[in-house]
Amino acid sequence: MRSMKCIALPLLLATFVAAVSAAQETAPRQPACTSKEHRQFDFWVGEWTVTENGKPAGFNRIELILGDCALAENWRSATGYDGKSFTFFDAARGVWHQTWIDQQGQPLYIEGGWRNGAMVLEGDSYSANGKPEGRNRISWTVAEDGSVRQLWQHRKGDGEWRTLFDGRYVRAVTN
């Protein structure tokens, strides 16, 4: 009798998994990430030549990934500094979130949304040993000509905001 139970349980489990899988395949799927909020950052999608103060700053490729549910950023500065980010709308909390990481392992976590005609994300930064270093605020504003201004500011404590990067994104010419 014991060997019958050992055979019956896996068979029962396999039958259950097959039934659930079949139900999922036939159930109509709701399109994911199609709300107007999910599309708010689509202006940033593309290949960009980036300048700061009129001088080459780098190249950035932003693409929609994961069924258009997230943006993947691939940054390369004019000096060879690389970084990547993943940006997505967190519908459950109603905020945009970006996680950035560079080739030195330095992360940045920022969140926010539309504010005064710009996408504005903010978050605290920490040193390698975990001590607070201040707050970052990055805003993206679309200009009439289709270029994008990315303004990255930082402040320590309750101090003044200091500009770390003020870049202009212009769509790259691709062949």
Side-chain angles (χ1 to χ4, degrees), residues 50 55-59 75-82:
V50 184
K55 297 177 183 170
F59 182 80
W75 167 255
R76 177 132 182 117
S77 78
T79 60
Y81 171 80
D82 291 332

Side-chain angles (χ1 to χ4, degrees), residues 1-9:
M1 185 71 172
R2 185 167 187 230
S3 64
M4 187 68 158
K5 286 183 183 177
C6 290
I7 294 171
L9 187 56

Side-chain angles (χ1 to χ4, degrees), residues 14-174:
T15 303
F16 174 74
V17 169
V20 169
S21 295
Q24 288 175 340
E25 289 175 13
T26 59
R29 294 181 183 251
Q30 295 294 330
C33 307
T34 58
S35 73
K36 67 178 182 154
E37 290 83 5
H38 282 97
R39 306 282 49 94
Q40 289 176 328
F41 226 140
D42 285 2
F43 68 86
W44 200 33
V45 173
E47 294 188 5
W48 303 90
T49 300
V50 184
T51 58
E52 184 175 27
N53 298 319
K55 297 177 183 170
F59 182 80
N60 213 349
R61 186 179 77 244
I62 317 300
E63 57 188 319
L64 285 166
I65 61 169
L66 301 172
D68 297 347
C69 289
L71 300 169
E73 173 184 16
N74 297 280
W75 167 255
R76 177 132 182 117
S77 78
T79 60
Y81 171 80
D82 291 332
K84 296 189 182 297
S85 77
F86 295 97
T87 307
F88 60 91
F89 181 68
D90 182 341
R93 296 184 316 130
V95 298
W96 276 91
H97 175 87
Q98 182 179 92
T99 297
W100 163 272
I101 188 72
D102 67 15
Q103 68 200 39
Q104 298 163 344
Q106 197 63 36
L108 179 65
Y109 308 99
I110 52 178
E111 293 186 328
W114 277 104
R115 191 170 18 166
N116 300 324
M119 181 62 76
V120 181
L121 307 182
E122 294 187 28
D124 295 326
S125 59
Y126 300 89
S127 66
N129 63 4
K131 293 187 178 187
E133 288 189 322
R135 187 147 183 92
N136 292 285
R137 176 174 64 198
I138 303 178
S139 62
W140 293 260
T141 308
V142 181
E144 286 185 25
D145 66 0
S147 66
V148 174
R149 178 185 186 200
Q150 181 184 29
L151 178 63
W152 182 0
Q153 298 173 300
H154 179 82
R155 79 170 180 207
K156 292 185 177 188
D158 292 331
E160 295 288 319
W161 286 104
R162 190 173 61 97
T163 298
L164 298 180
F165 180 76
D166 190 355
R168 181 172 184 250
Y169 283 61
V170 175
R171 292 205 182 269
V173 177
T174 58

